[in-house]
Amino acid sequence: MTVLPAFCDVVAASARLKGRAHRTPVLTSRYFNQQSGMELFFKAENFQRVGAFKFRGAANAIMALPEETRRKGIVAFSSGNHAQAIACAARDAGISAVVVMPEDAPTMKLAATRGYGAEVVTYDRYTADREEIAARLVAERGGTLLPSFNHPDIIAGQGTAALELLEETGPLDALFVPVGGGGLVSGCALVAHEIAPDCAVIGVEPAAGDDARQSLAAGRIVKIPAPRTIADGAQTTSVGSLTFALMQQYLRGIVTVDDASLVATMRQIAERMKILVEPTGCLAPAAALAAAPEWQGRRVGVILSGGNVDITRFSALVG
């Protein structure tokens, strides 16, 4: 049985990532503060290497492997951001990587993953099982499988985003975090519980894919069909055993956001903060703004998880 990561693992990940991952900025916005009545702090992971928080977990997991194991290469599966992160971190480590990606993943994410030097194997997300494909590749070629969320070193690496945020802001009243497979939210919740125990950590899913919310309500992992949503980074069908266990322990709850709200938030952030955030990255700010009546006058953190949306797609969505 795999042991759940602890706060000390996040601290170790932070040290491991120093000089490898960016310490991303924490942004504020007078406009959003005035509109919401909250004091908002945006952790801008769209400025992370590969344009998303996923680099943290991928780099930490790769560097934590024994050198002999690392040299045999990495296998991964991802809808895009973890794929790019594995490809980039593997390139940094001088090792090979093969990544299983859905054939309808955003073109820029497919191109970037290949650009970092990884081999990409595509599949139909609605008819094929990416985990089975990845397992077959490991059996045929060797290497270490690093899943996108259900791995202790991945979770610990993602948790460094909240560690940096809270180091900069001090204790927060609430922290909104997007949820796909649960690696980011479980790592952030673990950190908040340790250093800001009064902070309510709230996960945010796309309305079309609320498997984590269903799972917490049922007390067991619920698997759903691949959701159809513009939040491609959260088109997972279930959370993992490790992430679910941490979510059960440390999350206040989970809320959902529909695609229309994601588009509206993308537009507002671009217009007011002058930055591009991908649809999945807008889950947390959209939910925080919707929950403003509950958090009036409070200090609220928001994880902007990534910025990997090409300008043509962005224009089509917000135009």
Side-chain angles (χ1 to χ4, degrees), residues 8-181:
C8 62
D9 297 310
V10 181
V11 174
S14 180
R16 203 174 280 128
L17 292 174
K18 189 173 183 180
R20 293 189 172 90
H22 296 323
R23 187 178 180 96
T24 54
V26 176
L27 306 179
T28 58
S29 166
R30 183 177 299 174
Y31 170 80
F32 281 116
N33 287 352
Q34 290 175 342
Q35 290 293 109
S36 67
M38 300 178 287
E39 188 176 5
L40 293 163
F41 300 91
F42 300 88
K43 180 62 169 168
E45 286 296 289
N46 50 311
F47 293 124
Q48 186 53 261
R49 292 185 67 188
V50 310
F53 75 94
K54 289 285 191 176
F55 183 78
R56 297 175 181 273
N60 182 56
I62 287 174
M63 297 312 299
L65 290 171
E67 184 177 352
E68 183 177 344
T69 302
R70 194 162 60 231
R71 286 202 303 266
K72 296 177 182 177
I74 303 297
V75 177
F77 49 83
S78 166
S79 63
N81 284 338
H82 179 65
Q84 294 174 82
I86 286 289
C88 183
R91 184 192 65 180
D92 285 356
I95 61 176
S96 65
V98 56
V99 185
V100 180
M101 298 182 69
E103 59 192 10
D104 63 345
T107 302
M108 68 173 293
K109 294 184 179 182
L110 287 163
T113 303
R114 293 186 175 108
Y116 288 123
E119 176 187 350
V120 173
V121 175
T122 59
Y123 74 103
D124 184 335
R125 75 164 86 227
Y126 301 107
T127 61
D129 188 320
R130 63 184 188 173
E131 296 187 35
E132 289 181 2
I133 297 169
R136 185 175 69 247
L137 287 168
V138 170
E140 292 172 356
R141 307 185 187 189
T144 298
L145 177 64
L146 287 181
S148 55
F149 51 85
N150 201 44
H151 187 287
D153 292 326
I154 296 288
I155 295 168
Q158 317 306 28
T160 61
L163 181 63
E164 291 176 7
L165 173 64
L166 291 166
E167 284 175 348
E168 187 161 336
T169 64
L172 297 170
D173 296 302
L175 175 61
F176 287 81
V177 186
V179 179

Side-chain angles (χ1 to χ4, degrees), residues 173-208:
D173 296 302
L175 175 61
F176 287 81
V177 186
V179 179
L184 178 62
V185 75
S186 60
C188 288
L190 173 64
V191 169
H193 175 76
E194 181 70 25
I195 64 177
D198 293 329
C199 177
V201 180
I202 300 163
V204 189
E205 289 184 295

Side-chain angles (χ1 to χ4, degrees), residues 256-274:
T256 62
V257 174
D258 62 28
D259 282 3
S261 296
L262 294 179
V263 170
T265 304
M266 288 174 69
R267 182 186 295 111
Q268 278 191 300
I269 289 176
E271 289 176 347
R272 296 293 178 167
M273 298 179 71
K274 314 307 178 188

Side-chain angles (χ1 to χ4, degrees), residues 226-271:
R228 296 182 183 274
T229 170
I230 63 171
D232 63 279
Q235 284 182 294
T236 48
T237 59
S238 69
V239 296
S241 57
L242 302 182
T243 59
F244 182 58
L246 291 167
M247 290 161 67
Q248 283 184 304
Q249 288 184 52
Y250 300 129
L251 245 60
R252 163 73 69 87
I254 291 181
V255 298
T256 62
V257 174
D258 62 28
D259 282 3
S261 296
L262 294 179
V263 170
T265 304
M266 288 174 69
R267 182 186 295 111
Q268 278 191 300
I269 289 176
E271 289 176 347

